[in-house]
Amino acid sequence: MVHFVGAGPGATDLITVRGRDLLSEADVIIYAGSLVNPEHLKLAKEGCEIHDSASMTLEEVIGVMKKAEAEGKTTVRLHTGDPSIYGAIREQMDLLAAEKIAFQVTPGVSSFCGAAAALKAEYTLPDVSQTVIITRMAGRTPVPEKEEISLLASHQATMAIFLSTGLLEPLSERLIAGGYTAETPAAIVYKATWPDEQVFYTTVGGLQRTAAENHITKTALILVGNFLGDVYQRSKLYDPAFTHEFREAVIK
Ligand code: SAH
């Protein structure tokens, strides 16, 4: 059996209980060394075979899984955050399915949730934004044309932008082309939930300068939108004048 496990955003106690159990029982661990906190590997049992996938190809990763499977071993494929977000797990799952190797997925706390915690922010404020757009700038990995940043920015929804720390000037330009102003609040969260986490509040126009001044070049998320501002409506759910399925209004 192969288990794809989300390691969470960084802090070792932000992996799920299930993920932790699977790690401690695994015979083989293949972890994404560029981003997964190596502290997680301390959970590995004695004799566990450990591979860092940073220098491996897809075929090599699958090769390790196939060998483990043939020996009746359990493999944990440890991905950063949640494996469904930029985790490149689909291609692994399809190759495993073709080999008739059983697999399961254990979710993790994505870094965009870790970043919200670091910011002490709520992405979905009534009348500010009820939508979170998870996206990235096109780099060496292309992004479908219909998802070009300015088109997404035209919604003025909350945006969590991954994998784009090296492209902040064109990012600002595309965000502004889409309708955000240069003054729209933005934040850069570096290594959310890691011991060396850093949070920078800035604006859409100030992203590049803020990153440069603080030497942030990778492992950061860019958060954009008025959820970072001070104006919002209180929720209906907890409004004393609002009646719903579980509660009568206490103020008429
Ligand atoms: N599956 C992961 C994302 C992997 S893509 C998840 O759910 O979070 C890698 C990108 O994620 C990085 O370039 C960075 O933009 C972001 N990232 C991952 N961990 C991060 C963290 N702890 N803090 C800030 N950004 C992070």
Side-chain angles (χ1 to χ4, degrees):
M1 170 71 86
V2 175
H3 289 278
F4 293 91
V5 174
T12 47
D13 54 353
L14 285 178
I15 191 170
T16 64
V17 174
R18 185 188 298 177
R20 199 182 54 191
D21 290 347
L22 288 168
L23 262 187
S24 60
E25 290 156 13
D27 302 303
V28 178
I29 297 173
I30 310 170
Y31 72 107
S34 54
L35 276 168
V36 166
N37 189 339
E39 289 284 309
H40 285 300
L41 302 174
K42 288 188 179 158
L43 289 173
K45 67 182 180 191
E46 216 174 294
C48 177
E49 181 186 316
I50 298 179
H51 298 264
D52 177 356
S53 63
S55 61
M56 294 165 78
T57 63
L58 170 61
E59 283 67 26
E60 287 169 342
V61 168
I62 300 298
V64 170
M65 292 172 175
K66 270 171 72 175
K67 178 168 172 287
E69 200 61 22
E71 294 167 1
K73 292 179 173 170
T74 300
T75 302
V76 164
R77 175 67 168 119
L78 191 61
H79 283 276
T80 183
D82 183 82
S84 71
I85 310 280
Y86 306 114
I89 60 165
R90 173 64 191 268
E91 59 194 24
Q92 298 175 66
M93 295 189 294
D94 283 351
L95 289 179
L96 290 180
E99 298 283 346
K100 303 212 166 13
I101 295 176
F103 57 87
Q104 282 182 346
V105 182
T106 297
V109 177
S110 178
S111 59
F112 81 93
C113 300
L119 292 163
K120 301 187 174 72
E122 180 177 347
Y123 289 142
T124 54
L125 291 173
D127 82 334
V128 174
S129 173
Q130 290 289 288
T131 304
V132 183
I133 296 176
I134 290 169
T135 190
R136 61 170 299 168
M137 285 284 279
R140 289 205 287 179
T141 301
V143 171
E145 238 172 72
K146 286 181 186 153
E147 297 173 24
E148 199 277 313
I149 295 276
S150 68
L151 301 176
L152 301 179
S154 69
H155 296 283
Q156 308 275 294
T158 297
M159 293 178 77
I161 303 159
F162 285 69
L163 295 159
S164 303
T165 320
L167 296 163
L168 295 182
E169 230 170 72
L171 173 64
S172 292
E173 188 263 313
R174 294 285 83 210
L175 289 169
I176 292 167
Y180 281 117
T181 65
E183 293 72 40
T184 302
I188 302 175
V189 180
Y190 170 75
K191 291 185 90 173
T193 83
W194 286 70
D196 49 346
E197 166 188 290
Q198 284 184 284
V199 171
F200 305 99
Y201 291 92
T202 180
T203 57
V204 164
L207 283 169
Q208 163 70 22
R209 185 173 33 83
T210 305
E213 278 172 9
N214 296 287
H215 313 289
I216 303 299
T217 55
K218 58 178 189 174
T219 329
L221 274 175
I222 312 302
L223 298 313
V224 174
N226 285 314
F227 76 96
L228 288 163
D230 293 326
V231 184
Y232 68 96
Q233 295 287 313
R234 279 179 46 158
S235 70
K236 292 282 182 220
L237 193 61
Y238 298 104
D239 180 345
F242 192 72
T243 295
H244 61 71
E245 190 183 348
F246 299 105
R247 183 173 59 75
E248 281 294 313
V250 290
I251 299 173
K252 299 288 174 193

